[in-house]
Amino acid sequence: MWQALRNINLTNPAGSTGTLLSRGLPHLVATDLGCANRPRHLAEVSNLMRKNGILKVSLQFEDDSSRYLQRLVQGLHDHYGHGLPITHSVSRGWFWDVRPSRTTFQTPSHQARSETMEEFPWHTDCSYEDAPPRYFALQVLREDRCGGGTLSVMNVERIGSLLSPSTCAALHRPEFRIAVPPEFVKCSTKHDTVGSLMAADAEGSHWTIRYREDLVTPLTAEAALALQELKECLHGLSVQGEPLHLTPDTLPRGSVILMDNFRWLHARNQVMDPERHLRRVRWDARRFPSSVLSRID
């Protein structure tokens, strides 16, 4: 996967330019809002997300209302079969403002982890949903100007290649209870879901994962051992410097990072700037796949 990232050649659709950032992060530049509606730009975004599952777009225009993201996701829905954005909670629509707050929460009476300044360890978004969003994007409205808030990402295929066969098999079995955080409870009778943590995608060509350690409870002894090995693998890769760390210098104001939520884990270190402000959208919700382990080579 990393070699594939390094070898990508990007075309230059009208109004945008393509480059590769350090360690192979695909990068497009949107020169104006119209890029979000241009067929070639949409095709580039769709192709890069399908191949690599991660993409940075730099906006060369002011867009505090996230009009680019709104039009882009709508275009991916209209022309490439992506599902429309999901509502983030009972009280929110498509977009969620990710910024620290001590008193005012976007969901009444409950503070989301992303609304704190605390470190947020490895996870996928909405792992507690029966149908998690396949994709999410973050737009940087203000980067952390005090040295914190680094977004780290790690490829799931790399993780899967390091796990033992018995652990992979256990992670594919529906033997884990995943709690729903209070701020995201949408039905008063549903506070958790039971399922697997890993699977192969519909084509059998990529590992997929749903994971957030503080929400997961193993239901069998085998599941507990597998979960422990997964945690140790993530810790080991972090110690070795395996993740890609996207610092505020890499993602300044005007940056948009798009990720395949099934193929990449992400984490955030402590936020140091109380004015740090991102905007998030999640889309293309689909049932977490149930697949035969042997389909991945």
Side-chain angles (χ1 to χ4, degrees), residues 19-230:
T19 60
L20 286 178
L21 296 178
S22 61
R23 293 185 62 188
L25 175 64
H27 179 213
L28 294 175
V29 176
T31 57
D32 56 75
L33 180 59
C35 285
N37 299 112
R38 293 187 183 118
R40 291 183 63 187
H41 183 77
L42 276 172
E44 196 73 77
V45 171
S46 175
N47 290 338
L48 288 170
M49 291 303 294
R50 185 181 69 253
K51 292 177 182 178
N52 309 295
I54 190 167
L55 171 65
K56 174 187 171 180
V57 179
S58 293
L59 307 182
Q60 293 190 335
F61 55 93
E62 292 298 312
D63 188 23
D64 286 350
S65 298
S66 298
R67 295 171 297 165
Y68 170 85
L69 261 181
Q70 185 173 9
R71 293 186 186 185
L72 183 76
V73 174
Q74 184 69 53
L76 292 171
H77 168 71
D78 292 342
H79 302 289
Y80 293 96
H82 288 216
L84 287 173
I86 64 171
T87 55
H88 281 60
S89 68
V90 174
S91 59
R92 298 296 298 175
W94 285 5
F95 289 95
W96 179 286
D97 286 303
V98 181
R99 53 188 168 187
S101 176
R102 294 182 178 178
T103 57
T104 304
F105 310 145
Q106 296 195 66
T107 300
S109 304
H110 295 291
Q111 184 178 29
R113 184 71 175 264
S114 60
E115 292 180 306
T116 73
M117 297 180 70
E118 300 171 4
E119 178 184 12
F120 200 161
W122 294 113
H123 65 284
T124 53
D125 279 5
C126 299
S127 59
Y128 44 84
E129 297 278 9
D130 293 325
R134 179 64 188 264
Y135 302 104
F136 74 91
L138 292 166
Q139 178 180 343
V140 182
L141 298 176
R142 175 185 163 118
E143 73 278 18
D144 190 315
R145 300 177 184 176
C146 301
T150 292
L151 175 69
S152 299
V153 299
M154 185 148 31
N155 185 268
V156 173
E157 291 187 33
R158 172 62 173 156
I159 299 167
S161 70
L162 297 176
L163 297 173
S164 66
S166 61
T167 288
C168 287
L171 292 173
H172 277 67
R173 292 194 289 267
E175 298 176 354
F176 301 88
R177 176 174 289 112
I178 307 170
V180 180
E183 67 273 15
F184 294 119
V185 171
K186 299 177 182 179
C187 175
S188 60
T189 61
K190 185 173 178 58
H191 294 271
D192 58 45
T193 189
V194 174
S196 63
L197 298 187
M198 292 189 75
D201 66 5
E203 294 76 30
S205 56
H206 296 290
W207 292 106
T208 65
I209 195 169
R210 57 175 172 182
Y211 178 74
R212 180 174 153 179
E213 180 182 341
D214 62 319
L215 302 181
V216 176
T217 301
L219 300 178
T220 67
E222 292 81 3
L225 290 173
L227 182 60
Q228 183 59 36
E229 185 176 328
L230 175 59

